[in-house]
Amino acid sequence: MLAVWLPHLSTDRILRRRHGAGWRLCGRGGQADFPPLVISRREDNAQRIAALSEGAEALGLKAGMGIADARAMHPAIEIVEADPGADRRLLESLADWCDRFTPLVALDGADGLFLDISGCAHLFGGEDAMLSEILRRLRHQGFDARAALASTPGMAWAAARYGRGPDRNVAPGEEELALAPMPLAALRLEEKARVGLESVGLRHVGALIGAPRAPLARRFGSMLVTRLDQALGGAEEAISPRLPVAPLSVERQLAEPIGTTEDIERLVLVLARTLRQDLERRGEGARRLQLALFRVDGAVARITVGASRPLREPLTIAKLFHERLTALESGLDAGYGFDLVRLSVVAAAPYAALQTDLSGPASAEEEEFSLLADRIRARLGDEAILVPALAESHLPERRARFVPFGGESPSAVEPSSAGEAKPTTHLRPIRLLEKPEPVEASAEVPEGPPLSFRWRRALYRVARAEGPERIASEWWREDPPAPARDYFRVEDVDGRRYWLFREGLYGGEIAPRWFMHGMFP
């Protein structure tokens, strides 16, 4: 596990915006040309220091100090209001950038990242070389970064913040030796537990490693023992990646960055040919693909396309991305160019290979139509082509919906009394109104069918009627639930047939209302 700590994330964000990504590499150590910077926030009805630059730290200022005191001590400092949202967005963009090293990247609080590099380090020349490369690139982008490698996330977190030097590689089996001289804060303890331990003279982790666990847990809480075991490898600690890991990915590292759409499309075709071999070995086709473009300055652009049927053909994949890139060409900012391009299969499905003759496949028209629809969706978005699909719902107006072309649609089933699914057999009208329209109806008996009704200013007299068919409301979706409906199939004196329902019951708190919902042929 690799932990990255950015102790000056807030101030680095401001200085990068003012002086460019490489501001840290200019001047004497990157600090002499810029005034000390302090980030303030309101806490307990007072403005206090939330974060500060390295230059401000050199003046003796500390986080939590009052802004008035800091200004009195050093009038030349620059003070900027805190923006936690901008810091969070910057940290998420750095997590996206770290995807070039491993797909398993997780956020660690407000100023750190976890990278699971299992099986990835050899691609960069080993763990030490990979660690140095990450720190070099982050510093080139203007960040003060410190990182550490260890077998456990807890140990990596502690070594990144309290280890000696900007980088540290803790070998397996050396966790106790590395953790012992560190302060108690290296265990990520709550403030109350840490203060309690220090009050009894326990100020370093080494004093806890050999101590009996039961008394410690009884006096200071079980979290103390859990954190200690997580750091030493005695307990598992789960790290949740920000993005799901694609089942298949191919990428190309570029010696010279590219920035034109033509270069990107040519590279997509090359990657799609490699991807086809992997899909054939798995017997699958791609239903959704993602193109990740890693910019030199750290920004990442992700472009996703979908397919209505499983794909393997490189030319077809290239056509879909051509449409998408054409639509995004004005919004695709290449900056100084992309130095890494990755093509991933986000979703896959079994691929059924069909035997064809010299005249071509029997379903050539369907394939051409599917390709046309996919290209339109890639150019204009998934909502450009919609098809009706059945949905699981008791209410008739919710049983149909429009979904993007090529999506999966559920079958029309209703639960039986035994809990098993059975096909729908109720007679439904061909034409169903999008929303039920209110009507004025009169019935011979309160719960019976209507004798006549007025709809859209026209009066209809009922000659025949069937029903009722009661449909209850979906109480798990509605709060409060709507009244139950009693549906009737009625025929007027002219032979026209309609589907009406009464909402509510006579004698209840709410008076019943009648609605027109559909017409039969």
Side-chain angles (χ1 to χ4, degrees), residues 375-440:
R375 294 182 67 178
I376 293 175
R377 291 168 54 206
R379 175 73 68 93
L380 304 178
D382 289 340
E383 303 298 325
I385 301 180
L386 302 176
V387 294
L390 296 175
E392 295 182 354
S393 177
H394 290 303
L395 301 182
E397 66 268 23
R398 294 180 180 174
R399 298 213 54 167
R401 58 191 175 94
F402 285 94
V403 298
F405 176 80
E408 299 293 334
S409 60
S411 59
V413 296
E414 288 186 352
S416 65
S417 58
E420 298 178 354
K422 64 177 182 180
T424 300
T425 57
H426 299 299
L427 183 60
R428 295 288 186 264
I430 298 290
R431 181 185 176 189
L432 195 69
L433 298 177
E434 183 177 358
K435 292 183 179 180
E437 299 181 5
V439 299
E440 299 176 4

Side-chain angles (χ1 to χ4, degrees), residues 199-283:
S199 65
V200 296
L202 302 175
R203 300 183 180 277
H204 296 87
V205 180
L208 304 177
I209 294 178
R213 300 298 179 88
L216 289 176
R218 186 166 52 250
R219 182 170 181 179
F220 302 103
S222 60
M223 183 55 65
L224 169 62
V225 177
T226 300
R227 288 301 193 189
L228 187 59
D229 289 339
Q230 287 176 345
L232 298 177
E236 294 290 336
E237 182 178 0
I239 300 298
S240 300
R242 291 182 61 251
L243 302 175
V245 180
L248 285 176
S249 294
V250 290
E251 65 181 39
R252 179 66 62 88
Q253 292 271 2
L254 304 175
E256 293 292 334
I258 61 174
T260 64
T261 303
E262 293 76 11
D263 291 339
I264 295 174
E265 290 180 6
R266 282 194 292 268
L267 199 54
V268 167
L269 184 59
V270 173
L271 295 176
R273 289 170 179 165
T274 306
L275 198 61
R276 177 180 182 176
Q277 302 174 5
D278 297 331
L279 289 171
E280 288 177 347
R281 283 194 294 268
R282 296 166 63 100

Side-chain angles (χ1 to χ4, degrees), residues 307-436:
S308 57
R309 58 178 60 194
L311 294 181
R312 284 182 184 170
E313 290 298 327
L315 288 176
T316 304
I317 295 175
K319 288 179 181 178
L320 296 181
F321 278 106
H322 168 75
E323 301 293 345
R324 191 64 178 154
L325 288 169
T326 302
L328 298 176
E329 187 171 1
S330 58
L332 184 62
D333 184 9
Y336 293 103
F338 304 104
D339 62 346
L340 174 64
V341 179
R342 177 182 298 156
L343 182 62
S344 304
V345 176
V346 180
Y351 186 91
L354 301 177
Q355 181 69 34
T356 61
D357 53 21
L358 296 178
S359 62
S363 59
E365 295 81 3
E366 296 181 6
E367 292 184 359
E368 292 178 0
F369 178 77
S370 298
L371 177 58
L372 173 62
D374 292 339
R375 294 182 67 178
I376 293 175
R377 291 168 54 206
R379 175 73 68 93
L380 304 178
D382 289 340
E383 303 298 325
I385 301 180
L386 302 176
V387 294
L390 296 175
E392 295 182 354
S393 177
H394 290 303
L395 301 182
E397 66 268 23
R398 294 180 180 174
R399 298 213 54 167
R401 58 191 175 94
F402 285 94
V403 298
F405 176 80
E408 299 293 334
S409 60
S411 59
V413 296
E414 288 186 352
S416 65
S417 58
E420 298 178 354
K422 64 177 182 180
T424 300
T425 57
H426 299 299
L427 183 60
R428 295 288 186 264
I430 298 290
R431 181 185 176 189
L432 195 69
L433 298 177
E434 183 177 358
K435 292 183 179 180

Side-chain angles (χ1 to χ4, degrees), residues 10-210:
S10 299
T11 54
D12 288 346
R13 172 179 60 82
I14 297 173
L15 293 173
R16 287 177 77 250
R17 186 177 59 201
R18 292 179 180 177
H19 308 289
W23 72 271
R24 189 175 293 276
L25 302 179
C26 61
R28 295 193 299 263
Q31 295 288 338
D33 297 336
F34 310 111
L37 179 62
V38 169
I39 307 297
S40 69
R41 68 180 176 192
R42 179 165 292 277
E43 182 179 344
D44 297 333
N45 295 325
Q47 289 293 120
R48 299 188 178 277
I49 297 178
L52 61 167
S53 66
E54 296 160 273
E57 287 181 345
L59 297 177
L61 302 180
K62 298 182 180 298
M65 180 183 294
I67 292 295
D69 296 337
R71 191 188 294 275
M73 294 170 59
H74 304 282
I77 62 174
E78 181 180 2
I79 302 173
V80 178
E81 189 67 24
D83 189 352
D87 294 342
R88 181 74 176 187
R89 290 190 295 271
L90 177 59
L91 187 63
E92 290 177 349
S93 67
L94 286 175
D96 288 339
W97 172 80
C98 288
D99 193 41
R100 65 168 56 232
F101 298 101
T102 173
L104 301 175
V105 182
L107 298 183
D108 173 27
D111 58 358
L113 299 170
F114 279 124
L115 283 70
D116 189 347
I117 61 170
S118 302
C120 302
H122 69 281
L123 300 175
F124 301 89
E127 294 181 348
D128 293 332
M130 182 179 185
L131 184 60
S132 300
E133 177 69 9
I134 292 175
L135 291 176
R136 183 188 68 82
R137 285 176 173 262
L138 287 174
R139 184 171 181 81
H140 186 76
Q141 296 180 41
F143 295 102
D144 176 23
R146 304 169 194 183
L149 273 167
S151 301
T152 64
M155 185 66 249
W157 188 95
R161 287 159 174 78
Y162 300 99
R164 296 179 180 177
D167 61 320
R168 181 77 186 275
N169 190 344
V170 181
E174 297 182 359
E175 289 83 5
E176 289 191 10
L177 183 62
L179 197 62
M182 295 183 183
L184 297 179
L187 293 179
R188 299 173 290 173
L189 299 175
E190 296 182 356
E191 183 71 13
K192 181 180 179 180
R194 184 180 61 81
V195 172
L197 289 167
E198 292 178 349
S199 65
V200 296
L202 302 175
R203 300 183 180 277
H204 296 87
V205 180
L208 304 177
I209 294 178

Side-chain angles (χ1 to χ4, degrees), residues 412-498:
V413 296
E414 288 186 352
S416 65
S417 58
E420 298 178 354
K422 64 177 182 180
T424 300
T425 57
H426 299 299
L427 183 60
R428 295 288 186 264
I430 298 290
R431 181 185 176 189
L432 195 69
L433 298 177
E434 183 177 358
K435 292 183 179 180
E437 299 181 5
V439 299
E440 299 176 4
S442 59
E444 184 176 6
V445 295
E447 307 297 337
L451 292 178
S452 64
F453 61 91
R454 186 180 297 276
W455 175 51
R456 295 181 179 178
R457 299 183 180 180
L459 180 63
Y460 301 86
R461 297 190 181 278
V462 177
R464 299 177 182 83
E466 290 181 342
E469 173 195 345
R470 178 161 294 181
I471 299 180
S473 64
E474 297 178 337
W475 53 266
W476 57 93
R477 292 183 179 179
E478 302 171 352
D479 187 22
R485 300 176 180 181
D486 283 343
Y487 278 86
F488 293 90
R489 294 187 293 272
V490 302
E491 181 180 332
D492 66 3
V493 294
D494 296 327
R496 295 179 293 242
R497 297 186 294 172
Y498 304 93

